[in-house]
Amino acid sequence: MNRSMQKRVYIETYGCQMNEHDSEQILRLLQRSNYLETEDAQEADLILVNTCSVREKPEQKVYSALGRFKGLKEERGTIIGVAGCVAQQEGQRLLARIPYLDMVIGTHAIALIPQMLERVEVIGEKVCETGFDTEGKHLDAFLPQGQVSVVKSYVTIMQGCNHFCSYCIVPYVRGRERSRPSQEIVDEVSHLAQRGVKEICLLGQNVNSYGKGLKEEIRFPELLSRLDEIEGVERIRFTTSHPKDLSEELIQAHGGLKKLCEHIHLPFQSGSNGILKAMNRGYTRESYLEKIDRLREVCPSIAITSDVIAGFPGEQEKDFEETLDLMEKVRFDDLFSFKYSPRKGTRAAEISDQVEEQMKQERLALLQKIQKEITLQKNQALEGCIEEVLVEGYSKQTEQDVTGRTRTHKTVNFEGDLESTGKIVPVRIVKAYPHSLRGEILTD
Ligand code: 5AD
Ligand code: SF4
């Protein structure tokens, strides 16, 4: 591990034993993301205040604790977060009241801290997670090895990125690409499968580059074939892949490997060739569309999701229209859209022709509106179909329903009990919504 990428976290805990315990869990989790604890807030890259509201005026305490760190934010850009009961209770209000706060981590969101941090670092967003855990995410991160089983698990196969897209901070904060040896990954996945995990999602900034720089000769499609053979694993997914590096072998894998799910997340970022060039993405709209055609040829039922950025510097109306046009052509199953945010140290942040905030907002709103309609239509097309659903547990809304995902990564809620958790069951889709599907389990 590259020590220069090692970061420091300073954590201040108020309140009860429970909170002390949570802080320990947070530290353990952050160690996996290459953070070391420090007792000196001055040298920290991340400061967390873990609070308890049992005592009187806990909010006041949070405000005064945070006040001490305001200067550090200004001087060093330290990321600042609040966790614990006050975070849970106050949620967005904390972000609104404390302008230099980056993260509000509710009591059920501890396991999401690495993803939240990534959003703060990469997109420069403020994040707040105060929802109640229903997908076992919280549990997943802390399960004592070898005990209870969970349905799905994430396995990091590589870290860092060599691409240097001009808007992106990842290569600077995560460093160059480093892949894990394949045997280590195979062992981890086998171990998870023995504990009852049914679905594995392989993580990396650009999984297509997997294997480069390793002593062994292995590429991503081959890793997938090895994992496909592991007994007990029912489904394999991965995220994220870069369109430039999406190889024919990986496309073929979607037609050939039985556990590899019919879903790919393939960020396009912009539909305009001029903007793609300025972003240093290394592909054109035409070559992106060709890859989509090829994927659909090999695997007709594949679901395709993507990322897009609105308002990259220099984006003119016609560039934006090309983005909308690409969306209409591909008709993504789902789309994660971001307003361009200048990240200090990246090349795009230096471009003088920045798009005005209001324009960025309008473009973002328009593409979200268009995509919402497309996603709904895609979901409606599934009404009446029978889908294989891997049941994950109770649904968010009610304990009468369970929830799970199709192989194409769509959420399906249906009446059922927890006994079906971890099983793949046939479900008829009866109603489509913008973000989920309603189904009925087939019993015979
Ligand atoms: N501004 C807006 N969106 C960004 N992303 C990465 N960096 C930025 C930025 N500076 C988005 C990209 C990427 C996703 C994870 O975050 O769409 O695919
Ligand atoms: Fe960032 Fe992804 Fe580009 Fe790497 S490939 S620089 S992680 S956007």
Side-chain angles (χ1 to χ4, degrees), residues 201-262:
C201 181
L202 306 172
L203 296 180
Q205 300 293 350
N206 177 15
V207 291
N208 293 314
S209 300
Y210 173 78
K212 284 187 195 152
L214 279 178
K215 285 202 197 91
E216 55 184 321
E217 270 294 316
I218 185 159
R219 289 289 176 263
F220 187 54
E222 199 184 322
L223 177 71
L224 285 174
S225 328
R226 285 184 64 188
L227 299 177
D228 202 62
E229 281 162 21
I230 296 176
E231 205 177 314
V233 174
E234 308 264 4
R235 290 177 169 187
I236 302 172
R237 304 182 186 281
F238 59 83
T239 192
T240 295
S241 40
H242 192 301
K244 176 162 81 85
D245 301 331
L246 177 66
S247 64
E248 179 60 24
E249 289 76 14
L250 184 53
I251 294 177
Q252 296 283 350
H254 280 280
L257 298 179
K258 54 181 188 313
K259 295 177 184 174
L260 185 61
C261 288
E262 293 78 27

Side-chain angles (χ1 to χ4, degrees), residues 270-332:
S270 168
S272 147
N273 281 337
I275 297 296
L276 286 172
K277 193 150 193 279
M279 286 177 164
N280 191 30
R281 289 290 287 174
Y283 55 86
T284 59
R285 61 179 275 128
E286 292 78 19
S287 64
Y288 183 87
L289 288 169
E290 268 167 34
K291 298 233 163 147
I292 298 290
D293 286 347
R294 197 59 206 118
L295 278 162
R296 286 180 169 154
E297 260 166 47
V298 169
C299 181
S301 59
I302 197 163
I304 301 174
T305 56
S306 196
D307 292 345
V308 61
I309 298 176
F312 182 82
E315 186 185 76
Q316 306 290 321
E317 200 52 41
K318 70 170 191 349
D319 298 306
F320 180 61
E321 275 163 20
E322 285 184 312
T323 291
L324 298 180
D325 179 70
L326 188 143
M327 281 166 58
E328 298 282 3
K329 284 202 162 74
V330 177
R331 294 180 59 78
F332 294 105

Side-chain angles (χ1 to χ4, degrees), residues 148-427:
V148 203
S149 75
V150 285
V151 177
K152 59 182 183 183
S153 197
Y154 296 90
V155 173
T156 300
I157 62 164
M158 61 173 307
Q159 289 191 318
C161 181
N162 289 354
H163 274 297
F164 289 92
C165 300
S166 63
Y167 52 83
C168 184
I169 196 84
V170 166
Y172 305 95
V173 294
R174 296 265 185 274
R176 296 301 86 75
E177 281 169 12
R178 303 170 297 278
S179 295
R180 286 176 72 194
S182 62
Q183 194 56 48
E184 215 179 284
I185 299 168
V186 169
D187 290 346
E188 183 171 338
V189 171
S190 307
H191 175 73
L192 289 167
Q194 279 160 19
R195 282 170 55 201
V197 172
K198 297 291 186 320
E199 182 175 306
I200 301 288
C201 181
L202 306 172
L203 296 180
Q205 300 293 350
N206 177 15
V207 291
N208 293 314
S209 300
Y210 173 78
K212 284 187 195 152
L214 279 178
K215 285 202 197 91
E216 55 184 321
E217 270 294 316
I218 185 159
R219 289 289 176 263
F220 187 54
E222 199 184 322
L223 177 71
L224 285 174
S225 328
R226 285 184 64 188
L227 299 177
D228 202 62
E229 281 162 21
I230 296 176
E231 205 177 314
V233 174
E234 308 264 4
R235 290 177 169 187
I236 302 172
R237 304 182 186 281
F238 59 83
T239 192
T240 295
S241 40
H242 192 301
K244 176 162 81 85
D245 301 331
L246 177 66
S247 64
E248 179 60 24
E249 289 76 14
L250 184 53
I251 294 177
Q252 296 283 350
H254 280 280
L257 298 179
K258 54 181 188 313
K259 295 177 184 174
L260 185 61
C261 288
E262 293 78 27
H263 171 222
I264 189 164
H265 185 69
L266 198 62
F268 77 103
Q269 314 296 6
S270 168
S272 147
N273 281 337
I275 297 296
L276 286 172
K277 193 150 193 279
M279 286 177 164
N280 191 30
R281 289 290 287 174
Y283 55 86
T284 59
R285 61 179 275 128
E286 292 78 19
S287 64
Y288 183 87
L289 288 169
E290 268 167 34
K291 298 233 163 147
I292 298 290
D293 286 347
R294 197 59 206 118
L295 278 162
R296 286 180 169 154
E297 260 166 47
V298 169
C299 181
S301 59
I302 197 163
I304 301 174
T305 56
S306 196
D307 292 345
V308 61
I309 298 176
F312 182 82
E315 186 185 76
Q316 306 290 321
E317 200 52 41
K318 70 170 191 349
D319 298 306
F320 180 61
E321 275 163 20
E322 285 184 312
T323 291
L324 298 180
D325 179 70
L326 188 143
M327 281 166 58
E328 298 282 3
K329 284 202 162 74
V330 177
R331 294 180 59 78
F332 294 105
D333 290 80
D334 206 355
L335 184 63
F336 298 88
S337 40
F338 306 92
K339 196 165 59 168
Y340 170 70
S341 136
R343 312 300 293 131
K344 214 164 152 224
T346 60
R347 275 194 291 135
E350 304 301 318
I351 304 176
S352 53
D353 194 8
Q354 299 283 328
V355 175
E356 269 181 33
E357 186 57 31
Q358 199 191 334
M359 179 66 82
K360 285 199 252 187
Q361 191 55 53
E362 279 170 20
R363 289 181 180 166
L364 181 73
L366 181 56
L367 58 84
Q368 286 178 340
K369 181 166 162 258
I370 293 173
Q371 182 59 42
K372 195 170 167 198
E373 190 54 36
I374 297 175
T375 304
L376 180 62
Q377 287 168 4
K378 287 245 163 190
N379 285 350
Q380 282 167 341
L382 293 172
E383 284 178 333
C385 296
I386 296 166
E387 293 282 326
E388 281 180 20
V389 176
L390 172 59
V391 183
E392 293 173 14
Y394 282 132
S395 87
K396 283 188 183 145
Q397 274 76 31
T398 150
E399 292 197 353
Q400 243 102 72
D401 287 347
V402 288
T403 189
R405 297 246 183 192
T406 63
R407 285 178 61 100
T408 51
H409 210 235
K410 293 178 197 282
T411 300
V412 186
N413 298 311
F414 56 98
E415 219 177 288
D417 56 47
L418 275 193
E419 260 172 48
S420 56
T421 304
K423 298 203 175 95
I424 293 177
V425 295
V427 177

